Amino acid sequence: MIEVKHLTKRYGNNTAVDDISFSVKPGMIYGFLGPNGAGKSTTMNIITGCLAATEGTVTINGHDVFEEPLEAKKHVGYLPELPPLYAEMTPAEYLRFVAEAKGVSKEEMDYQLSYVMEKTQITSMQDRLIKNLSKGYRQRVGVAQAMLGNPEVIILDEPTVGLDPGQIIEIRDLIKSLADEHHTVILSSHILSEVSAVCDYVMIISHGRLIASDTIDNLSTILVGSRVLHLTVKGDLNRIRQVINRLADQAKTIRYEESSEDRGIDVYDIDIEVEKDIDLRETAFRLFCDAKCVILKLYAETIGLEDVFLKLTREYDEQYRVEQRLAALDQEENAFAPKEDDRPADDSGDNDPRPVM
């Protein structure tokens, strides 16, 4: 669908995007996540053909964005962070203008306009001036224009910025519905809860570099390095120990003690640590049930996207500062290194200016 290879964008000595490569598969919602100034919007603008790259390639359905811009752009709908709306137009007028600019045929025009307005729930607002619409409705108009032309890929740059909580939920539901209709959605955001709520796959960018790319669950598991199964079980201690012994072969460590939360008799907290690719939940459940022990609580430990994001970006920030400092030291060293013309004259006899006696 989309292939990005070694994408780089420089502004003078500043590198906004630094050798990014990734691929986007159809029918999924991708979250492009990073701090403010990380290079998200720059990358989105390059992918959509709004900005030239310094180096690298972007292909959409086999069409190079820089070599075949018109063909490539037919497959992409784009909502910038600031929607390109004309305030003196109505949504109906504006969407018709965009549809004509995208080359939508006259036969398809009315159907597409009706469809995108219905999908984004702006039909009732189609004859009002855009300048009189709320921020939420203006954002919906922006999404509607991105959908015109029925593109396979829809790219949304910070689609919920400035919206109230109710409007945010509505836009998120709209984004999910786009994926349900087999669109591929790339969602750029610095809001962790937003990405966690709607995205199937996460790409984390920091200082212009892609530092992680995977599902949220996989990123969590990789960072933790192992899975921990937590149980609270009520039952005879000897029977609980028998179950623990049967689980021991698959576990790295098993710890159990009287429950700190439930002060009842024969209630124990059990922590079972296993390798990150092992899931013992079903096995443990069946063994404790067979042993006539009541499971009061069972859950696998996970870390949220916020923890993943903070850990990865902080680690990379440290690495980036070290790299920048080393580069600065190299520049200082080169600046003070003697140049060819500055080297002292050779003191050997061959260069002695005194006459030979």
Side-chain angles (χ1 to χ4, degrees):
M1 177 65 71
I2 295 181
E3 289 285 340
V4 176
K5 295 182 179 178
H6 306 294
L7 197 64
T8 300
K9 179 63 178 179
R10 299 188 188 93
Y11 296 97
N13 294 327
N14 178 45
T15 302
V17 178
D18 192 357
D19 195 25
I20 284 181
S21 298
F22 61 87
S23 60
V24 171
K25 298 178 181 178
M28 296 177 65
I29 302 178
Y30 287 80
F32 206 53
L33 183 62
N36 288 325
K40 302 185 301 298
S41 294
T42 301
T43 304
M44 298 294 99
N45 282 323
I46 294 173
I47 292 174
T48 54
C50 298
L51 187 65
T54 306
E55 297 172 12
T57 60
V58 178
T59 56
I60 302 174
N61 276 2
H63 301 286
D64 190 296
V65 169
F66 311 121
E67 300 294 331
E68 306 172 85
L70 294 180
E71 282 300 318
K73 290 176 183 179
K74 288 180 181 178
H75 302 280
V76 178
Y78 181 38
L79 173 65
E81 184 175 352
L82 298 175
L85 306 178
Y86 293 108
E88 300 301 327
M89 286 185 171
T90 66
E93 292 169 340
Y94 171 71
L95 292 174
R96 184 173 293 276
F97 165 74
V98 173
E100 291 173 352
K102 286 188 174 185
V104 175
S105 66
K106 292 182 178 180
E107 295 77 14
E108 282 284 310
M109 181 75 71
D110 289 339
Y111 169 76
Q112 285 209 23
L113 292 175
S114 176
Y115 170 75
V116 299
M117 284 194 287
E118 182 180 345
K119 188 68 179 176
T120 56
Q121 298 180 10
I122 60 172
T123 304
S124 61
M125 302 289 173
Q126 63 178 304
D127 295 323
R128 295 189 183 183
L129 291 177
I130 290 174
K131 68 179 181 180
N132 295 330
L133 297 180
S134 69
K135 172 72 173 175
Y137 274 110
R138 289 199 297 272
Q139 203 73 351
R140 287 174 179 273
V141 175
V143 175
Q145 66 81 25
M147 295 172 60
L148 286 169
N150 196 30
E152 294 96 326
V153 182
I154 295 178
I155 297 177
L156 309 173
D157 191 1
E158 305 279 4
T160 61
V161 66
L163 302 185
D164 65 39
Q167 293 168 337
I168 288 173
I169 292 171
E170 291 171 356
I171 293 295
R172 287 177 182 174
D173 289 341
L174 173 58
I175 292 168
K176 290 178 183 177
S177 72
L178 294 176
D180 290 340
E181 296 189 0
H182 310 295
H183 291 285
T184 298
V185 180
I186 301 177
L187 168 68
S188 168
S189 181
H190 65 277
I191 303 172
L192 301 172
S193 58
E194 182 168 275
V195 173
S196 182
V198 302
C199 296
D200 306 308
Y201 199 91
V202 177
M203 294 178 283
I204 299 178
I205 185 172
S206 182
H207 297 289
R209 296 181 189 173
L210 189 65
I211 60 174
S213 178
D214 212 326
T215 64
I216 296 173
D217 287 342
N218 284 347
L219 286 174
S220 301
T221 302
I222 290 168
L223 286 180
V224 172
S226 61
R227 294 179 187 269
V228 179
L229 184 64
H230 300 282
L231 301 100
T232 300
V233 179
K234 182 177 182 180
D236 179 72
L237 181 57
N238 289 327
R239 291 185 178 183
I240 290 175
R241 284 174 174 164
Q242 289 173 6
V243 173
I244 288 174
N245 289 336
R246 294 184 65 179
L247 294 170
D249 289 343
Q250 300 180 69
K252 295 169 72 174
T253 61
I254 300 180
R255 297 177 294 276
Y256 63 95
E257 60 184 4
E258 289 188 2
S259 177
S260 58
E261 295 183 8
D262 195 319
R263 298 299 181 180
I265 300 173
D266 295 334
V267 179
Y268 299 89
D269 290 329
I270 304 167
D271 297 332
I272 306 173
E273 183 183 4
V274 297
E275 295 293 341
K276 61 187 178 183
D277 56 347
I278 295 176
D279 190 346
L280 274 186
R281 287 176 295 181
E282 185 175 346
T283 302
F285 178 84
R286 289 181 177 178
L287 288 175
F288 280 113
C289 287
D290 292 343
K292 310 299 183 186
C293 297
V294 179
I295 298 175
L296 302 177
K297 187 186 298 183
L298 184 156
Y299 66 96
E301 179 182 10
T302 58
I303 63 173
L305 181 59
E306 181 175 352
D307 300 307
V308 172
F309 177 78
L310 291 175
K311 180 176 175 61
L312 289 173
T313 53
R314 283 172 180 170
E315 287 177 353
Y316 185 73
D317 281 346
E318 293 177 7
Q319 177 188 333
Y320 182 80
R321 282 195 292 268
V322 170
E323 290 178 0
Q324 294 296 103
R325 181 57 184 158
L326 289 174
L329 289 173
D330 285 342
Q331 288 181 353
E332 289 177 12
E333 219 172 274
N334 292 334
F336 289 103
K339 298 181 175 59
E340 195 71 33
D341 295 340
D342 297 334
R343 292 178 181 173
D346 191 346
D347 290 335
S348 64
D350 292 341
N351 294 323
D352 193 337
R354 292 174 296 180
V356 177
M357 299 299 293

